[in-house]
Structures are given as structure tokens and as C-alpha cells.
Amino acid sequence: MTARTGLSIPRVVARDELWAERYRALADRVRARARQAAPVLAGFSACVDHVRRMDPDRIAALAAQTTAPGPAGEVAAEVIGRIRDGRGGEIALPWPGGTDWVGALLGAPDRVQLGGTGPQASWALAVLGAPSVVPLADRSAEQLAVLHPDVTLCTAEGTAPAGRLTGAEAPLPGRVKQPHSVLEFAEGTPAAGLPGGLPRSSRIILRFADDGIERDEWFAARSGELARTAEAGLLSGMNGLPEDGTGPADRAWLTEVVRTWRDGGLPLLHLELAEFTSVRALRAGCEEYAPLADSVGMSLSELATLAGPSARTSPATAAAHFATAYDLDRVCVHADGWVLAVHRGDPTEQRTALMTGSLLAAARAARGAPAADLAPPPAADYTEDRPADGPLGEGLRADCVPAPHLSRPAATIGLGDTFVGGLLLARSLHSGCAPTRTRKDPDDHA
């Protein structure tokens, strides 16, 4: 979190209490209405996460591997460098033995849980009783075991909660993927050469193979029907596709599903970016998928990767340039202590959407998993050092709110995905949460 400068302690406390009260009031409204929400369609990636908390012994074990030959040394050096700098993100490296190497070096995972932006967003909605539908082609026992039982999946006959699928109802063709290794680290954890310990809490995802997308043909067959009752669709997991442009059938399948959503009248399609293995790949992903969307979300680090270092000092301006380049209704940026929307809509509704996403993310940060108790954590801080609200020109304006921030969260994995779930839940509770313009047609995207 960035520092508050020039403010007396009493003023900071008073403003923190004001924001905490606003979040408490919103939490009550969201809990009361969540079961009445319209469905969210949440694709298109899913995986199993093996999560390990990086204590001093595990950090030392990795540090000892930084000079090892081959991919072991490469991965260890990158992880240690990021941990010491307080940087999270994803490291993707084709390495068939990578998962086994992590297990042998760091031991068994502390927990096994659901991964993938869409499924994690749906997990956060399910614990509140809000409906969502997830495309899932990998219906192995390992993948189904980590899904929330109330998340809806498509079947040959219709739809059903994941927890009710058994036997012949469950399997679909699809490869079983390697689990992702997630390394969580906490601010202040002792580490050699850092007198105050690690500078920041975050997580690093290790992915040793391209997962592809969840090409669920039962979901595709029902997409038009689903879109008629849904209020929002999530497009995510594009970084799991091969970066060399192969897999054209998957890309064509995805575009056809989006076309079906549009034809069915889906009001909002949100694209959530992710960490690609290179700047070139991230920009290529934007060129390919942002034109399909109405709204795009990203972290501050992803915005800086796209727009350069100036994005950290002028994030609203950088987000506005991105929105103009792709004719978007909204660009959302999430940072440690604040969330920003550059948009063409109503400021009050956009701030409510940002706060709803922040509520769900803060509940997960405090408890380590999505939670139905949305009351903001008592220990949360609310920064005043954040981008300013106001008009930006060309029909765009910025609105930014502080997020309830914990410097030592119980978990860091999935916080951005949970934020996205809340952002789309707000749309599903209030159909005016996103501006309405002429809908984009995938046919217009060359």
C-alpha cells in the first residue's frame, strides 16, 4: 500500500472509519440480495492449485537452487528475485518435471484448491448464493473435487450443480491438466539479506504447461439460452493458449461462443487480463480479445506493462488511452490499496461495482477463502493516496475508491479473481451498473 503523507493520525482514523462504515452498509445490501442476482457466465479456464506458504525454510531451499543448471536454477532464481522485490505474478515455463521438482523441494502443499479466474469468481459468488455457470471440459475427479458444489455446470440434458454430478453425468472429453504450484509469501517473513523481512505480501504462480481453454461443448450448445437470462459474461484464461498462434480451433470456438452470447442479448462482456510470459504476448492478447469486450480488467502491474512506467503515476490516463484504443465502455484497474474504473457510465453505480468487488476480495484476504461474511476486516486500512476522480475527455471519466487492505492477508491467491466476481455481481444485482451502447459484434473483429 502506498503511504499517506501530510495527514494527522486523527484525520486518517476518521476517514478510515468513514470508508469502513460505507463498506459495512454495502456488505449488508449485497448479502441480502445476492440470491436474487442474475447469473454470471464465467469462462474459460480452470485448474487445480497446489498452494504452499513460503516460510524461511522454503525460501532458503529455493535460494540454494538458484545456481542449479537447467530449468531448476532458472525458476528458483526468478522466484527468489520476485519474492525479495515483493513482486507476484505468474511464471510459465514448459517443463514436464516442474511440478515434481516443486514437490520434492518444498514438500506437500499446504492446501489444494480451485484455480482459474472464472471458477474462482464463481466460487466467491456461490458462497453468497449468487448463481453462475462455468464451462468445464476437464471433469476429472481432481478438478470436480475443488469446485464449489453450487456452481452450475452444463450437461447433455441441461444444467446441474457441480455437487450433484456423478458417474456418467460428469465426464466430458478433455485432457487432465497439471496442477499449478502457487507460492504465497507474507510481508515481514524473515529472509537472508533483508533486515525487515519480505517487503510485501503476494503470490507467484508456477505453470509448467499450456493449459488451453475449457472447451466445453455442452456449455457452447447452451450459450444462447444462458445468455438470455445472464447479465454478465467473463472472458478469461487466454494466457493458457499457446503463444505461437497455434490452436486456431480453440480460438474460433471461443469467438463463436462470444457471438452466441451477443446474439442471446448478454448485456456485458468483461475481459480479465492475466500475466502472459512476455510483453509481446500480453499485447497480442489485448489485440485479439479486447475488441470482443465491453469492459476490461487488469492489475496495476499489467497496466504498467502495457503502457510503461508512467502508468504507475498516471493510471487513469493510461487506462483512458487503453479504453479509447479498443472502444471500451470501461477499464478497471486493481492495486493493493485502491481500485479504479475509467468508464462511460454513472459514477455512483461504478463506485458501487468497485466496492462490491473489493468487499469480496477483502473477505477472502481476511479468511483465506471466499466467505459469506462480507463485513470489512477490522484491521483493514483505507488509503487516501489514490487516483483522483473526474472527467478525462472523450466521454470517459475516472472513479476510484480505496479497497480494504491487509498488509498480511491470510491468503493472496485469487484476490483479483474474487474482485472480478464481485464486480460482475454488482452488474447482476443492478442492470444499470454498466453503460449500454451498441453491442460489439465478433464478426467485426478481424
Side-chain angles (χ1 to χ4, degrees):
M1 189 190 74
T2 48
R4 297 190 179 98
T5 56
L7 297 172
S8 66
I9 291 176
R11 183 182 175 193
V12 171
V13 172
R15 288 183 181 270
D16 277 6
E17 289 176 350
L18 176 62
W19 278 107
E21 180 55 39
R22 290 172 177 169
Y23 272 106
R24 281 192 292 268
L26 179 61
D28 291 339
R29 296 198 301 273
V30 171
R31 279 197 307 263
R33 298 184 56 210
R35 293 182 181 278
Q36 304 165 19
V40 170
L41 309 181
F44 285 86
S45 63
C47 61
V48 176
D49 284 341
H50 286 184
V51 184
R52 293 171 175 87
R53 198 76 167 175
M54 297 303 290
D55 58 24
D57 289 342
R58 281 173 166 166
I59 294 173
L62 262 176
Q65 288 283 305
T66 55
T67 57
E74 181 181 346
V75 171
E78 180 66 19
V79 169
I80 288 297
R82 291 194 187 200
I83 287 177
R84 294 178 65 85
D85 292 342
R87 292 185 294 120
E90 181 171 295
I91 299 171
L93 178 70
W95 182 15
T99 300
D100 292 339
W101 172 79
V102 172
L105 183 67
L106 303 181
D110 298 313
R111 62 185 188 275
V112 176
Q113 66 182 39
L114 182 64
T117 296
Q120 292 204 69
S122 292
W123 182 11
L125 299 181
V127 298
L128 295 171
S132 62
V133 188
V134 172
L136 189 67
D138 173 9
R139 303 197 180 187
S140 61
E142 293 80 6
Q143 186 68 70
L144 288 173
V146 294
L147 279 176
H148 190 284
D150 293 337
V151 168
T152 299
L153 300 179
C154 293
T155 68
E157 293 76 29
T159 59
R164 296 183 188 172
L165 295 186
T166 59
E169 295 175 306
L172 274 178
R175 63 190 181 282
V176 178
K177 303 178 293 292
Q178 288 190 43
H180 291 185
S181 297
V182 180
L183 311 181
E184 289 193 316
F185 51 95
E187 179 181 323
T189 300
L194 294 175
L198 300 184
R200 178 173 175 261
S201 297
S202 190
R203 88 289 180 271
I204 296 170
I205 302 169
L206 301 180
R207 179 165 58 87
F208 297 115
D210 288 327
D211 292 334
I213 58 171
E214 292 299 310
R215 190 171 166 180
D216 180 346
E217 300 296 351
W218 289 337
F219 180 90
R222 286 176 170 74
S223 279
E225 170 192 341
L226 295 170
R228 286 193 287 275
T229 58
E231 278 290 334
L234 174 59
L235 183 61
S236 66
M238 307 303 101
N239 60 333
L241 289 168
E243 292 180 9
D244 59 6
T246 59
D250 286 345
R251 288 171 160 83
W253 181 89
L254 191 63
T255 301
E256 182 60 31
V257 171
V258 170
R259 188 196 332 274
T260 304
W261 283 359
R262 294 300 195 194
D263 291 345
L266 185 71
L268 173 70
L269 198 152
H270 178 84
L271 167 66
E272 188 66 18
L273 297 181
E275 183 163 337
F276 287 74
T277 57
S278 66
V279 176
R280 179 193 60 79
L282 175 59
R283 289 177 175 161
C286 292
E287 291 292 330
E288 186 166 6
Y289 299 109
L292 303 178
D294 308 300
S295 170
V296 172
M298 66 188 81
S299 67
L300 179 59
S301 61
E302 288 159 357
L303 179 64
T305 298
L306 289 167
S310 63
R312 294 189 179 276
T313 54
S314 302
T317 300
H321 289 159
F322 189 91
T324 300
Y326 294 105
D327 190 28
L328 297 165
D329 293 331
R330 179 176 68 187
V331 174
C332 293
V333 181
H334 43 88
D336 280 355
W338 51 261
V339 286
L340 164 72
V342 169
H343 63 94
R344 305 178 191 277
D346 178 79
T348 299
E349 292 168 349
Q350 293 300 326
R351 286 195 293 269
T352 298
L354 294 173
M355 289 177 66
T356 303
S358 298
L359 264 180
L360 271 63
R364 181 167 187 171
R367 295 164 183 84
D373 181 1
L374 297 180
D381 200 2
Y382 301 85
T383 185
E384 291 184 30
D385 187 359
R386 61 184 188 271
D389 299 342
L392 297 169
E394 297 193 42
L396 292 165
R397 64 166 284 125
D399 283 286
C400 185
V401 300
H405 180 245
L406 296 171
S407 60
R408 289 182 61 88
T412 52
I413 183 68
L415 299 187
D417 302 335
T418 303
F419 169 80
V420 173
L423 188 75
L424 300 183
L425 174 61
R427 168 70 205 207
S428 296
L429 289 171
H430 191 314
S431 61
C433 234
T436 300
R437 297 194 297 156
T438 302
R439 295 295 158 209
K440 294 184 180 181
D441 186 341
D443 284 332
D444 295 334
H445 174 47

